[in-house]
Amino acid sequence: MQLQVLQNKIESRTAKLAVIGLGYVGLPVAALFAKEGFQVIGIDIKKDRVDLINKGISPIEGKEPGLNELIKDVVTEGTFSATTEYEKLRDVDVIFIDV
């Protein structure tokens, strides 16, 4: 993809994003991009983690102010979903690796 086309997609929030690794760094990053209007797919190897996220539940334990509500909101809005299937990367424009 040409750089200018990608830049335009990012500026217009039409770029599809992927975040690999939905832990303490990747999950908040993915959720915040989804909150800003990007379509985000999160990928993690832990199926139980993916299942919780897709139910709108944060699997991260500890004090992460507002993260639980943010996850619930972006999953409900349909801007964020999680999977264990790496083949979903074929459809994205930008990939963040947070492992």
Side-chain angles (χ1 to χ4, degrees), residues 61-98:
E61 297 176 8
K63 296 183 180 180
E64 299 293 333
L67 183 60
N68 289 325
E69 295 81 11
L70 178 59
I71 300 298
K72 182 179 178 183
D73 289 347
V74 294
V75 168
T76 300
E77 292 169 5
T79 55
F80 178 53
S81 63
T83 185
T84 58
E85 300 173 19
Y86 281 83
E87 59 269 9
K88 301 284 184 176
L89 294 174
R90 291 184 189 144
D91 300 327
V92 301
D93 300 302
V94 179
I95 301 171
F96 297 90
I97 302 174
D98 297 306

Side-chain angles (χ1 to χ4, degrees), residues 15-79:
K16 294 179 184 176
L17 311 180
V19 176
I20 300 173
L22 298 175
Y24 286 94
V25 174
L27 184 58
V29 166
L32 287 169
F33 274 116
K35 180 182 178 183
E36 291 301 316
F38 289 96
Q39 189 65 42
V40 181
I41 183 92
I43 299 179
D44 201 279
I45 60 172
K46 297 179 180 178
K47 185 171 180 348
D48 57 332
R49 179 174 290 197
V50 166
D51 290 344
L52 284 173
I53 292 168
N54 287 330
K55 291 177 184 174
I57 301 169
S58 174
I60 294 178
E61 297 176 8
K63 296 183 180 180
E64 299 293 333
L67 183 60
N68 289 325
E69 295 81 11
L70 178 59
I71 300 298
K72 182 179 178 183
D73 289 347
V74 294
V75 168
T76 300
E77 292 169 5
T79 55

